[in-house]
Amino acid sequence: MQKADTVVAVVATSTMKLCLLLLCLLCGALPTYAGVLPDDRADALYHSYDGGGVEITGPSVLVLKKIGQNVALSGNYYVDSISSASIDVVTTASKYSEDRTEVSAGADYMHGDSIMSVSYTNSDEDDYQSDTASFGVSMDMFGNMTTVSLGYARSWDTVENNNDPTFSKDVDRQNYKVGLSQVLTKDMIMELNYELITDEGYLNNPYRSARYVDPTSPIGYSYEPEVYPNTRTSNAVAVRSMYYLPYRAATYAEYRFFDDSWNITAHNIEIGYVHPLPSGWVLEGRYRYYTQNAADFYSDLFPRQDSQNFLARDKELSEFTSNTIGFTISYDFVQNGWYAIDRGSINFAYDHIMFDYDDFRDLRDKNAPVGKEPLYDFSADVAQIFVSIWF
Amino acid sequence: MNARMNITLWLMAVCSLLLSGCASVEPWVKPYERAHLADPIMNFQRNPVSSSYMTHVYQAREGARGAEGGHGGGCGCN
């Protein structure tokens, strides 16, 4: 496993170096034009997730404001209020509630042809703290037909355990991003993004357990703490495009490929359609498909205690597919300016996600033979209502 | 040594970005042909706060992560 980790990490690092070298060569030969800072805007959103025994609600507020011609500042405040009685909690622990608060601040600086961005994010919950600093640069070129971007982020996380006040472990994470946005025709635009993420530290969840066959237990199995590797390196590449239809409407498609040093490979596709109506209404419909295989060290039921070095029964690391169908309805309540507001919209978004697990069993069925319990599945309803104003 | 090499490559990439601008390539979509592309419905990040939220919803429940584009990123979701 460690050897495989090392090989994947070396390949990933080499890939990253190749991308950077190509970018250096590419940029040396391309002309550039001035970038554009994003418009001043404010968004206030309330979100609700309800599925698999988990309810999460909370606000998110984003404000973005230019200062002069070359600087834009942004701030985001986000809260998850979680009430969880998920399948893991029901079978191995007890219901819990907690809040997670995330605060971010960022600045964009436009200098000639490029925009440099810095941001800082703090995420805080009872038993998990995370700080992330990021830096990015993007540049328009080819008469604003091409935008190339580079990004780097570093996170410092601390994992704690509410059942053990002495428990405290660290995780360091680094993200490397390269992006390309390209105007293909007067009706079509395309984006290509690559991201490499490396983690080092305590990567498992201190509350989760792995299940193993135990003939001495009355129910035929017992639990032991999960053990994950201390490193993880992942690669993701995504291509997305958007096309303006012959009438005023747009359609988009996205594909992402993912793999990592735990041997998880995932694919997802998304397609969508945006249709403006007269009087300021905009309708959007979308469909997303996701599939992944299991991590090397995942098993729903290990044959015995301590059967291998690394053990996981986290369903996010198992083989599964999900299908999402969703829509957004937007209404522009200010279209032509009102006092200091240039434009304003109110929006409602709803997504229905269906998860189907291929190797994660529903242990609430106590009558089934060990290892033959029904496979687990659940669906989630995700709703958002938000107001956006541009000023 | 590897870390130094990485930093050098990143600096080269950033410097190349900042210094490029000498050559001239004719854009095949002229500025006056971009009315459709400038329409707000053609923006990948039309609703950034909503996109960021959905990225978080998926990231917390899937093994895959990264290359989402635009906003998104760290989740303290253990």
Side-chain angles (χ1 to χ4, degrees):
Chain A
M1 184 66 204
Q2 279 183 341
K3 190 177 175 187
D5 276 359
T6 309
V7 169
V8 173
V10 167
V11 170
T13 309
S14 303
T15 308
M16 195 68 205
K17 284 176 183 171
L18 184 64
C19 288
L20 288 173
L21 276 172
L22 285 173
L23 191 65
C24 293
L25 295 171
L26 185 72
C27 295
L30 296 179
T32 59
Y33 297 84
V36 179
L37 288 173
D39 293 332
D40 293 351
R41 66 183 292 166
D43 296 84
L45 175 145
Y46 187 81
H47 59 85
S48 166
Y49 173 95
D50 185 356
V54 178
E55 290 176 22
I56 306 172
T57 56
S60 178
V61 178
L62 170 72
V63 178
L64 203 152
K65 176 86 178 84
K66 282 197 282 285
I67 308 291
Q69 295 297 311
N70 298 317
V71 176
L73 302 178
S74 62
N76 184 216
Y77 174 78
Y78 177 94
V79 176
D80 276 334
S81 295
I82 304 160
S83 169
S84 179
S86 68
I87 180 77
D88 303 312
V89 167
V90 167
T91 50
T92 63
S94 51
K95 183 176 176 176
Y96 69 91
S97 298
E98 66 175 358
D99 287 347
R100 183 178 78 88
T101 304
E102 184 181 294
V103 180
S104 348
D108 292 339
Y109 173 65
M110 186 171 69
H111 179 72
D113 307 322
S114 61
I115 295 176
M116 281 162 274
S117 309
V118 291
S119 70
Y120 189 82
T121 302
N122 171 264
S123 170
D124 183 55
E125 57 191 302
D126 274 357
D127 50 5
Y128 202 104
Q129 286 81 44
S130 175
D131 290 282
T132 302
S134 68
F135 171 77
V137 58
S138 69
M139 173 164 287
D140 290 346
M141 47 189 69
F142 279 145
N144 291 335
M145 289 191 30
T146 305
T147 303
V148 175
S149 58
L150 287 172
Y152 172 76
R154 176 127 197 197
S155 303
W156 300 267
D157 296 3
T158 304
V159 186
E160 294 170 345
N161 184 337
N162 285 333
N163 302 324
D164 178 4
T166 63
F167 184 94
S168 178
K169 304 280 187 183
D170 294 332
V171 180
D172 279 0
R173 184 176 306 107
Q174 298 189 71
N175 300 48
Y176 303 85
K177 301 182 190 182
V178 179
L180 176 77
S181 175
Q182 179 66 52
V183 171
L184 293 177
T185 70
K186 62 186 177 61
D187 293 316
M188 191 171 185
I189 188 165
M190 189 201 79
E191 270 189 11
L192 184 65
N193 290 297
Y194 169 77
E195 184 166 1
L196 181 149
I197 306 176
T198 63
D199 300 275
E200 188 172 0
Y202 185 82
L203 302 180
N204 44 308
N205 181 326
Y207 305 110
R208 284 209 170 109
S209 305
R211 183 169 75 125
Y212 64 91
V213 175
D214 182 0
T216 65
S217 164
I219 54 174
Y221 59 85
S222 295
Y223 291 100
E224 61 185 322
E226 286 189 323
V227 185
Y228 286 15
N230 286 331
T231 60
R232 184 185 186 194
T233 301
S234 69
N235 296 280
V237 60
V239 58
R240 50 180 67 88
S241 72
M242 205 163 205
Y243 181 70
Y244 192 96
L245 293 163
Y247 52 97
R248 188 178 172 234
T251 182
Y252 59 86
E254 172 183 342
Y255 168 73
R256 179 179 67 171
F257 171 78
F258 170 91
D259 79 346
D260 71 6
S261 54
W262 293 355
N263 271 348
I264 297 176
T265 300
H267 306 265
N268 62 271
I269 56 164
E270 181 167 353
I271 52 172
Y273 174 73
V274 185
H275 189 98
L277 293 171
S279 312
W281 291 90
V282 180
L283 306 179
E284 176 181 341
R286 55 189 166 268
Y287 168 73
R288 181 181 188 269
Y289 171 78
Y290 175 88
T291 184
Q292 72 171 51
N293 64 3
D296 272 347
F297 51 93
Y298 172 88
S299 177
D300 178 66
L301 181 65
F302 289 96
R304 62 185 180 280
Q305 190 171 18
D306 292 326
S307 60
Q308 56 190 59
N309 288 349
F310 300 122
L311 307 157
R313 191 180 172 267
D314 179 347
K315 63 184 182 301
E316 282 91 56
L317 302 185
S318 73
E319 182 173 341
F320 74 92
T321 58
S322 76
N323 289 273
T324 305
I325 188 157
F327 67 85
T328 303
I329 301 174
S330 306
Y331 175 66
D332 285 352
F333 60 89
V334 176
Q335 296 177 44
N336 298 308
W338 181 71
Y339 293 97
I341 299 174
D342 295 334
R343 201 184 127 213
S345 72
I346 184 162
N347 311 265
F348 175 75
Y350 171 80
D351 292 273
H352 185 71
I353 314 176
M354 293 154 282
F355 294 90
D356 288 294
Y357 296 89
D358 297 323
D359 187 23
F360 181 82
R361 297 187 178 274
D362 188 343
L363 305 187
R364 292 172 299 184
D365 184 345
K366 302 293 183 192
N367 297 320
V370 175
K372 300 291 183 191
E373 300 89 351
L375 291 169
Y376 183 61
D377 65 74
F378 78 100
S379 61
D381 296 304
V382 186
Q384 307 164 67
I385 184 161
F386 57 102
V387 175
S388 305
I389 58 170
W390 289 259
F391 52 91
Chain B
M1 183 62 192
N2 264 344
R4 195 174 295 169
M5 174 86 77
N6 278 336
I7 291 168
T8 308
L9 283 169
W10 275 102
L11 284 175
M12 281 171 63
V14 171
C15 289
S16 299
L17 276 172
L18 297 177
L19 295 175
S20 58
C22 304
S24 171
V25 176
E26 195 68 20
W28 63 84
V29 179
K30 308 290 185 196
Y32 56 82
E33 294 178 315
R34 297 182 194 175
H36 290 172
L37 299 175
D39 192 309
I41 64 169
M42 286 290 285
N43 189 345
F44 284 113
Q45 287 288 314
R46 197 162 61 93
N47 298 311
V49 72
S50 175
S51 306
S52 181
Y53 169 67
M54 286 309 293
T55 296
H56 174 63
V57 166
Y58 290 125
Q59 240 181 35
R61 290 162 187 84
E62 296 174 348
R65 57 187 186 172
E68 289 93 356
H71 292 75
C75 68
C77 40
N78 64 344

